[in-house]
Structures are given as C-alpha cells and as structure tokens.
Amino acid sequence: MSRTRLSAVGANVFALGAVSLVTDVSSEMVTAILPVYLVLGLHLSPAAYGLVDGLYTGATALLRIVGGYVADRVRRRKVVAGAGYALSAVAKLGLLAAGASAAAIGAVITLDRTGKGLRTAPRDALITLSAPEPLLGRAFGIHRAMDSMGAFAGPLVALAVLAAVGAADPEAFDAVFVVSFCIAAIGVLLLVLFVRDRRTPKAANPVSPRAAAALLRGSGVRRLLVAACVLGLATVGDGFVYLLLQHKEDIATGWFPLLAVGTNLSYLLLAAPLGALADRVGRLPVVLGGYGALALVYLLLAGPVSGWPLLATALALYGAFYAATDGVLMALAGPLLPESLRTTGISLVQTAQALAYFTSSVLFGLAWQFWGPDRAIVVAAGGAVAAIAVTFVVLSPRKVTA
C-alpha cells in the first residue's frame, strides 16, 4: 500500500489501532487459556462451556446499543470508548479475586465484556469518521491488522510470564493477571493522549430513541441487520474451534494458547490487504469469501486431514475469515448510516451479530454434547454455507440502499 494511501487514511486511525494493539495484548493474555482451563481444568461439559462462551460475547450485547446511543447523544465518542477500555482494564484485577470459582470467573468475564460492549461501536464510528469513505476498507484493515498484532503477541506474553514465574507456581496465573492489567492501563493512557474525538455537527433533529428507531426504516439498514444475524448464527466461536483441534490432534494443554497465535498471525498478515481489496472489488464479496474460509475450517475439522497440515491450514483459514469479515462488515455498514447516528447504527449491527453468536454457541455446545463433535461440526459447516447464500441474496448490490 503506498505512503500516500496510508496518510490519506488518517493519523487517528493509527492512534486507535495502537490503543487496540496494546489492549489486545492484555485481553489475549487471559482469553487464550480460558477454553482449556474451563473445560479441562474446571471440567465444564461442552454444553456448559457453550453457555459460558455465548455469554462471553452475547450477554452484554445490549450494552453496545446503550454505548452507541450515549456516544451519539453527547457526541463524545472518545469518552464513551475510554470508559469501556478502563472498565475492561479494571476487570483484569478482578481475576485475582476470582480464584478457581467458575461463577466468579464468569462474573469477571462479563464485566470485561461490558467494557468491550461499551467501547466497540464508538471506536468503529470514530474510524468511519476519521477516513474518507472510499478508503474505509483500508482504514478498518489497518486498524484490525494492528489489533491482531496485539492478539498475536498476547498469548506469547502470557507464556513468557508463566515461564518466568514457573507454570507450576500457584502464583503464576496471578502474575499473568497483574501484567495484563498494567498493559491494559497503558492502552487507556494511549487513548487519552493520542486519539482525537470526531465530534459531528449537532443534528437539526436531536438524537433520541425515536430517531434511533427510525434507522430501521431504511431498507439497507434492515437488510444489514438480517445479514448480521444470519452470519452470527454461522459462527461457533474460537473456543470451540480450538477445542476441536485439541480434541482431534491431542494437543498438550501447555501448547493450547499457541492455537490463537497461529490464527492471529494469519489475521495480522491479511487484514490490511483484504481491507484494500474490499475497497477495490467490493466489500460484500470479501465478506462472503471470509465466511467461505470459515466453512472450509469446519469441513477440515470434520475431515480426514490431520497433523501439521490440518493445524497450519485450519489456523491460516481461520485468520483469513477474521481478516475478511471483522472490519470489512463495519466498512460496509458505515456509508448506510447518518453521521449523527453512526455509532448507534454500528452498535445495532454488532448487537444483532453478538446475540446471534450467543444462540449459535449455546446450540453448538448442546449439539456437541448430544451428537458428538464430528456430527456437530458438519452441521455447522452446512449452516455456514447456507448463511453465505442468504447473505448474498439479502445484501446483493441492487438491494443495499440507505
């Protein structure tokens, strides 16, 4: 990508990317080990883990709408995003008190996700307001690439802390939590010092619940919400993908966090190029291609391929799925939404997807428990293919209008 194109994206996008990079180092230090810890350490059943995993993303989904609406109402998106980042940082210290209690861990995770729910829509709205519309794919690609740098580094930092303290030491995980909090605090400081708020002009009609509800009268927004729900239902979640790989390959518990490292390396390498590709060829084809990669991951987990070929291919495709869908879907949404309600509209899309993901995670956990992992993942692959077809019909260019 040329230097001119990079500068056109804007310094604010890079500042937001730096905040996300540091924050993801902090969060991934903790989340990379949670699936194996909950299932193998606390002996949760697949169904119980599916509920916890769904809550991890879906329980605070409605707070995304609250955060988005408040940010539009006060026109201070940076302040609302900063509150979310700070809440997630404080939650890291809560893990020190949670111990081995699954209920306490769940409460702390919910607090952390509450922070994420508050910050995500204002942050993404700031990106859409900080870059020209023709370069939104690049802007989100750059941001998500920087975000994935942190996600890539987080598990490695956690392993380094465990190695320094001694994995067998009862205080080892406490050390991870303390370091995670310190890194998260640095992320909040970066936001305060370097991110500029983009306060849109005060709308002629004040932001209100009625104005927010009026977004749903736009056919483009309605179709985007339907697509977000369908695509959310096709996603079973990272934890299940990694647990299926661990189940199939009998990966040692100590190596489990490195599965996330593999995914995030692929995401890191592909996020910016796929964002730029989305600007050139269209955002919808890139999103659909990403979900095609996800369907291939599910088929690989159900197929005969094993060993390093399976691990390398599945993790590369899984990272490609995220690179092609995460920021690109938000870039697709941005132009459909008025500036005065940009954050609220983005939060509606994210909430629809998160609630659908909650449903998907619970259903997949039940399917695994009662049908077995092989049959469950085959059904998930079929669901992903169906979601691609439905999304293509719903969001075909001739129908996406504001």
Side-chain angles (χ1 to χ4, degrees), residues 31-391:
T31 58
I33 61 172
L34 278 179
V36 71
Y37 174 66
L38 292 173
V39 173
L40 301 183
L42 299 185
H43 306 292
L44 294 186
S45 68
Y49 173 74
L51 178 60
V52 172
D53 185 56
L55 287 172
Y56 184 76
T57 298
T60 59
L62 294 179
L63 278 172
R64 296 172 186 252
I65 297 178
V66 174
Y69 175 76
V70 170
D72 281 335
R73 178 82 179 187
V74 303
R75 296 184 298 127
R76 294 183 181 273
R77 297 173 178 90
K78 175 181 172 178
V79 171
V80 177
Y85 279 110
L87 192 59
S88 291
V90 171
K92 304 302 188 296
L93 291 181
L95 290 168
L96 292 171
S101 168
I105 290 173
V108 172
I109 286 174
T110 299
L111 181 65
D112 175 73
R113 296 298 91 181
T114 297
K116 184 175 177 64
L118 287 175
R119 72 179 184 251
T120 302
R123 180 203 67 199
D124 285 351
L126 279 172
I127 294 173
T128 69
L129 295 170
S130 299
E133 193 277 329
L135 297 180
L136 281 181
R138 287 176 174 83
F140 275 101
I142 289 169
H143 175 270
R144 294 316 198 251
M146 296 179 73
D147 183 274
S148 62
M149 288 180 193
F152 172 77
L156 298 179
V157 174
L159 290 175
V161 172
L162 290 174
V165 176
D169 191 323
E171 304 296 322
F173 285 100
D174 287 350
V176 172
F177 301 149
V178 170
V179 173
S180 175
F181 165 74
C182 293
I183 294 174
I186 293 172
V188 176
L189 185 62
L190 289 175
L191 179 82
V192 172
L193 294 178
F194 297 109
V195 173
R196 292 172 295 164
D197 210 343
R198 295 287 184 177
R199 299 189 66 185
T200 53
K202 193 170 184 179
N205 298 317
V207 175
S208 64
R210 178 176 294 180
L215 287 173
L216 299 178
R217 289 202 289 268
S219 62
V221 175
R222 288 199 307 271
R223 290 189 171 96
L224 193 62
L225 288 174
V226 170
C229 288
V230 170
L231 294 174
L233 288 171
T235 309
V236 303
D238 297 357
F240 277 124
V241 170
Y242 299 148
L243 286 170
L244 284 163
L245 282 170
Q246 195 271 343
H247 172 79
K248 188 169 183 177
E249 296 300 313
D250 196 24
I251 298 169
T253 300
W255 295 106
F256 187 86
L258 294 182
L259 296 175
V261 173
T263 295
N264 289 319
L265 176 60
S266 175
Y267 189 177
L268 165 63
L269 295 175
L270 295 174
L274 288 178
L277 179 66
D279 286 337
R280 289 198 302 271
V281 304
R283 290 156 194 165
L284 180 59
V286 173
V287 169
L288 296 180
Y291 277 90
L294 180 64
L296 289 175
V297 171
Y298 295 163
L299 290 174
L300 282 170
L301 291 172
V305 181
S306 62
W308 285 109
L310 170 64
L311 290 172
T313 305
L315 295 179
L317 286 171
Y318 203 43
F321 154 67
Y322 277 116
T325 60
D326 188 11
V328 179
L329 187 62
M330 294 303 100
L332 189 66
L336 296 175
L337 303 164
E339 285 191 2
S340 62
L341 288 168
R342 181 72 52 86
T343 320
T344 303
I346 287 176
S347 68
L348 282 171
V349 175
Q350 293 172 343
T351 296
Q353 196 165 28
L355 291 175
Y357 172 83
F358 169 77
T359 303
S360 173
S361 189
V362 171
L363 291 177
F364 187 81
L366 291 170
W368 182 339
Q369 182 154 337
F370 292 106
W371 295 346
D374 294 337
R375 186 176 176 187
I377 198 64
V378 168
V379 172
V385 172
I388 292 170
V390 171
T391 302

Side-chain angles (χ1 to χ4, degrees), residues 1-9:
M1 192 183 302
S2 69
R3 182 171 299 181
T4 302
R5 288 291 193 181
L6 288 174
S7 62
V9 165

